[in-house]
């Protein structure tokens, strides 16, 4: 189970970085700055990769709940 916690933690760390990237893009767009479509595509792709990593983590109990919560975070960022 500690492997599952560690795996979810690694994904969470990467998702946090990507969330900052998404927030920066959002701020830029809201201020009227043009953003290349590639920026959106790359960010979405990176988030989807993290979602796939989460999907591959086998977990039970609390680790499963943490994985599920992180899936929710990634899903919100992608949307």
């Amino acid at each position: 189970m500690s492997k599952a916690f560690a795996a979810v933690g690694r994904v969470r760390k990467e998702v946090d970085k990507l969330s900052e990237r998404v927030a920066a893009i959002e701020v830029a767009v809201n201020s009227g700055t043009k953003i290349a479509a590639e920026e959106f595509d790359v960010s979405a792709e990176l988030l989807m990769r993290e979602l796939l990593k989460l999907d591959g983590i086998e977990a039970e109990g609390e680790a499963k709940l943490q994985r599920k919560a992180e899936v929710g975070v990634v899903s919100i960022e992608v949307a």
Side-chain angles (χ1 to χ4, degrees), residues 2-50:
S2 64
K3 286 183 181 182
F5 280 121
V8 172
R10 286 190 300 273
V11 171
R12 182 178 298 124
K13 187 175 180 179
E14 191 61 33
V15 169
D16 287 345
K17 290 178 191 175
L18 292 170
S19 293
E20 291 174 13
R21 178 181 179 150
V22 169
I25 291 171
E26 186 177 19
V27 167
V29 168
N30 288 338
S31 69
T33 304
K34 287 192 172 189
I35 303 294
E38 291 174 353
E39 279 297 315
F40 294 104
D41 295 342
V42 168
S43 296
E45 176 67 26
L46 292 171
L47 285 164
M48 291 303 292
R49 287 182 185 185
E50 296 308 311

